[in-house]
Amino acid sequence: MNVSETAAERVPLRPLIVAAAGRLAEAGVGSPMFDAEMLAAHALGVDRMRLALIPMIDAETAARIDHSVEQRAARIPLQHLTGTAPLGAVDLAVGPGVFVPRPETELLLAWALGFLETQPLAHAPIVVDLCTGSGALALAIAHARPDADVHAVELDPDALRWARRNADSRIAAGDTPITLYSGDVTGPFVVEHLTARADLVVANPPYIPEDAVLDPEVADHDPHRALFGGPDGLDIIRGMVPTIARLLRPGGATAIEHDDTNGGGVAALLSSADLTDVAEHTDLSEKPRFVTAHRPSNG
């Protein structure tokens, strides 16, 4: 795209976006038109759905879009360029040093909220998010269920800083505060005061097998500590299952996201911890994506 340096010049927006999408497609970006529109919307400070209402833009804005498209073509994650990633009804600040929430996790979130809806509790529901990263699941649940008492655990100090930033932002927006902890989810004493009290435990832990081939956006920009779960992808989940079993109250439930090769492995781990009603769930591409289980009401 050739952009005049004359600030007064007006540039048609739609042809610019189409050209940007072509550039991104050539670079191997998986969703070139969506990404081009998101970058244009970010530069203009509008929602993507409002781009059709803006036929012309100034050359300075066109230059900003052009620069961000070049960065995206270099496979810098879209979310690092816009500075946010959504989960549920919450927009989370993300960037270098923290895992970028994925759309697949929306299904786990929906299951978790549906489970809470079915619980006739006489108390505020207690929710624990293990490996919270940016705070995504914890904050999305707290937003949807302002009556919930939400706790979130993260070991990595960089990710925890992002989680605190997002938690502060959600408080400013009027959401119920969550409680953040620095801790190892595989340790025997993490959030020990919640033992046998949690109504729901959710987790999107590091679960990718070490030999997996990843897109550049992931391999070069997501922190490896947030991605890899040992040779088979189950190291963190294997160590985390005893924590989940300890935290759940009788009748409580858990949902764990996993690599699409490991649904059966996660189900087996939960069954071995004496959890029941173990169920495997697929994502919108029909790939195994998360497993749920319950602690028996009588145990």
Side-chain angles (χ1 to χ4, degrees):
M1 291 175 286
N2 294 318
V3 179
S4 170
E5 294 182 359
T6 304
E9 182 181 345
R10 304 291 288 175
V11 178
L13 177 58
R14 195 64 199 173
L16 185 149
I17 290 174
V18 171
R23 172 74 183 91
L24 295 180
E26 291 174 1
V29 172
S31 51
M33 181 56 73
F34 175 82
D35 286 26
E37 290 177 344
M38 287 297 294
L39 292 171
H42 179 66
L44 287 162
V46 300
D47 185 88
R48 182 174 70 94
M49 303 307 293
R50 297 187 63 82
L51 290 175
L53 303 178
I54 306 174
M56 305 289 287
I57 60 173
D58 61 66
E60 182 179 349
T61 303
R64 289 202 306 272
I65 296 172
D66 185 62
H67 177 66
S68 65
V69 168
E70 290 304 309
Q71 291 178 296
R72 184 70 187 99
R75 307 303 289 272
I76 295 174
L78 172 68
Q79 298 85 353
H80 284 199
L81 298 174
T82 63
T84 62
L87 188 67
V90 171
D91 286 327
L92 301 138
V94 294
V98 72
F99 179 80
V100 174
R102 306 292 198 261
E104 293 84 356
T105 307
E106 297 279 357
L107 297 175
L108 187 155
L109 172 64
W111 184 93
L113 294 175
F115 170 77
L116 290 176
E117 284 293 325
T118 68
Q119 300 305 293
L121 300 175
H123 60 270
I126 296 175
V127 180
V128 182
D129 177 18
L130 302 177
C131 302
T132 194
S134 64
L137 277 168
L139 292 168
I141 291 171
H143 176 81
R145 288 295 302 259
D147 60 323
D149 180 13
V150 181
H151 304 257
V153 182
E154 176 57 51
L155 180 62
D156 185 83
D158 290 333
L160 193 59
R161 280 191 285 273
W162 283 101
R164 292 191 189 284
R165 173 179 171 182
N166 284 315
D168 289 344
S169 176
R170 296 315 309 171
I171 292 172
D175 283 357
T176 302
I178 68 171
T179 305
L180 285 167
Y181 306 84
S182 174
D184 181 355
V185 300
T186 67
F189 305 115
V190 65
V191 287
E192 188 176 17
H193 65 291
L194 295 176
T195 294
R197 295 179 57 203
D199 299 289
L200 175 66
V201 178
V202 295
N204 183 8
Y207 58 63
I208 299 174
E210 287 177 351
D211 61 355
V213 177
L214 304 174
D215 289 337
E217 290 89 342
V218 180
D220 298 339
H221 296 280
D222 273 328
H224 284 203
R225 191 174 193 176
L227 296 174
F228 296 105
D232 63 356
L234 291 174
D235 279 5
I236 305 302
I237 296 175
R238 193 177 287 115
M240 184 175 63
V241 165
T243 298
I244 293 172
R246 171 175 60 80
L247 291 173
L248 287 177
R249 64 158 176 85
T254 186
I256 306 173
E257 189 167 320
H258 57 74
D259 185 71
D260 59 21
T261 64
N262 274 332
V266 175
L269 288 169
L270 291 169
S271 294
S272 69
D274 296 325
L275 300 180
T276 59
D277 301 322
V278 177
E280 299 180 40
H281 302 259
T282 58
D283 61 22
L284 296 178
S285 300
E286 297 300 317
K287 294 181 179 180
R289 186 53 57 200
F290 67 99
V291 175
T292 59
H294 296 72
R295 182 175 175 184
S297 295
N298 60 350

